[in-house]
Amino acid sequence: MTIYHAQLRDLEGLINLFDGYRVFYKQDSNPAAVKRFLTQRIVKNDSIIYIAYINDEAAGFTQLYPLLSSVSMKPMYLLNDLYVHSKFRGQGIGEALINRAKHLCQSENNKGMAIQTAFDNPAQNLYERLGFVKDSDLHFFWSNK
């Protein structure tokens, strides 16, 4: 397994993974929109996407968005997306992607990392096993719909 910071050259494999991720969250498949969205993230450099490959095949990804903590006056990341293709699950890819993100936080001396996920996502067991703690303070959301 190799994991590295995704670039435009990784777009095709990333599109398939990201589209699968969105379908998992009950969104319609839309590879064209996914391509536009991911291209913007990479070109604008407003998120960090790590992609995992097994034998040159895109197997999983995670996407981090930078945040700032006013209280601690330190940067942090929001791990907004984590997905491993069903063909590659159970091989430690999700754990490796999270550990890569944690390493980034440590190397930048960040406050930490928040995870946004569905309340019933089975990956919560993985998050807890890797040292994440549920934070009851972060439970409000306003939607502009």
Side-chain angles (χ1 to χ4, degrees), residues 22-59:
R22 292 185 69 254
V23 168
F24 174 82
Y25 279 105
K26 299 175 179 44
Q27 302 299 305
D28 292 334
S29 175
N30 191 339
V34 165
K35 183 176 184 176
R36 284 190 301 276
F37 180 80
L38 292 173
T39 298
Q40 288 177 348
R41 300 295 65 76
I42 293 170
V43 170
K44 292 181 178 184
N45 199 31
D46 58 8
S47 73
I48 294 173
I49 303 171
Y50 287 120
I51 186 166
Y53 286 93
I54 293 188
N55 298 324
D56 296 324
E57 190 174 350

Side-chain angles (χ1 to χ4, degrees), residues 51-134:
I51 186 166
Y53 286 93
I54 293 188
N55 298 324
D56 296 324
E57 190 174 350
F61 81 97
T62 190
Q63 183 164 212
L64 309 167
Y65 290 98
L67 299 173
L68 295 170
S69 168
S70 297
V71 173
S72 67
M73 297 185 296
K74 287 186 132 188
M76 57 186 283
Y77 283 104
L78 170 65
L79 191 156
N80 198 69
D81 312 312
L82 175 69
Y83 182 76
V84 176
H85 189 284
S86 59
K87 174 180 173 181
F88 296 103
R89 291 188 187 143
Q91 298 181 39
I93 296 168
E95 181 173 345
L97 286 163
I98 291 171
N99 284 335
R100 181 66 176 263
K102 287 167 70 175
H103 181 265
L104 175 67
C105 289
Q106 292 166 333
S107 71
E108 294 180 350
N109 196 30
N110 288 1
K111 176 182 179 177
M113 185 172 20
I115 294 179
Q116 181 177 345
T117 189
F119 71 93
D120 59 348
N121 186 340
Q124 289 185 41
N125 296 325
L126 171 65
Y127 304 145
E128 290 177 351
R129 186 168 53 80
L130 295 178
F132 289 85
V133 178
K134 287 187 180 180

